[in-house]
Amino acid sequence: NDPSFAQRYFLALLYFSTNGNDWNSCAAHENSSCSGNRFLSSTSECSWTGCECDRNDQLTRINLDSNNLRGQIPNEIGALSHLFELDLDSNHLTGEI
């Protein structure tokens, strides 16, 4: 029952379902610009650019607006029970949560 495992899984689903390698910044590959920690890096998902967690390391915010996300928002994002802000404005996304 490791929340980090589940959170990383859901964030990886988001990354791959929205063409993460083509994101404007902080994609997993080193060719994209990034001023923080890249998505899918070995650091805690709480430190990935656009992600914030509470003091218990529960993911509370995802902010990836204007980052060239394309595709469908995975339904599994809805399972992040502590998430209270999901900012995906100005991207090219479909789907419901």
Side-chain angles (χ1 to χ4, degrees), residues 14 17-18 71-79 86 88 93-97:
L14 177 65
S17 68
T18 60
Q72 183 151 349
I73 301 169
N75 293 334
E76 291 85 353
I77 291 295
L86 179 61
L88 303 174
L93 299 169
T94 60
E96 297 179 12
I97 299 173

Side-chain angles (χ1 to χ4, degrees), residues 1-4 7 44-46 52-60 82:
N1 194 6
D2 181 3
S4 181
Q7 289 176 164
S44 166
E45 68 279 8
C46 295
E52 291 183 34
C53 295
D54 63 18
R55 68 177 188 268
N56 296 316
D57 292 330
Q58 297 285 337
L59 192 63
T60 57
H82 291 85

Side-chain angles (χ1 to χ4, degrees), residues 7-21:
Q7 289 176 164
R8 290 176 79 87
Y9 172 74
F10 296 136
L11 290 170
L13 283 176
L14 177 65
Y15 183 84
F16 288 111
S17 68
T18 60
N19 295 308
N21 286 335

Side-chain angles (χ1 to χ4, degrees), residues 2-97:
D2 181 3
S4 181
F5 180 80
Q7 289 176 164
R8 290 176 79 87
Y9 172 74
F10 296 136
L11 290 170
L13 283 176
L14 177 65
Y15 183 84
F16 288 111
S17 68
T18 60
N19 295 308
N21 286 335
D22 293 329
W23 288 3
N24 290 334
S25 65
C26 294
H29 61 82
E30 294 184 13
N31 294 334
S32 72
S33 65
C34 188
S35 60
N37 290 319
R38 297 183 182 285
F39 248 66
L40 307 184
S41 69
S42 61
T43 62
S44 166
E45 68 279 8
C46 295
S47 69
W48 294 352
T49 298
C51 297
E52 291 183 34
C53 295
D54 63 18
R55 68 177 188 268
N56 296 316
D57 292 330
Q58 297 285 337
L59 192 63
T60 57
R61 294 180 180 186
I62 301 173
N63 182 345
L64 296 170
D65 65 324
S66 303
N67 201 21
N68 198 38
L69 280 69
R70 296 179 176 275
Q72 183 151 349
I73 301 169
N75 293 334
E76 291 85 353
I77 291 295
L80 292 168
S81 60
H82 291 85
L83 189 70
F84 69 86
E85 182 179 327
L86 179 61
D87 186 351
L88 303 174
D89 289 349
S90 301
N91 287 294
H92 307 281
L93 299 169
T94 60
E96 297 179 12
I97 299 173

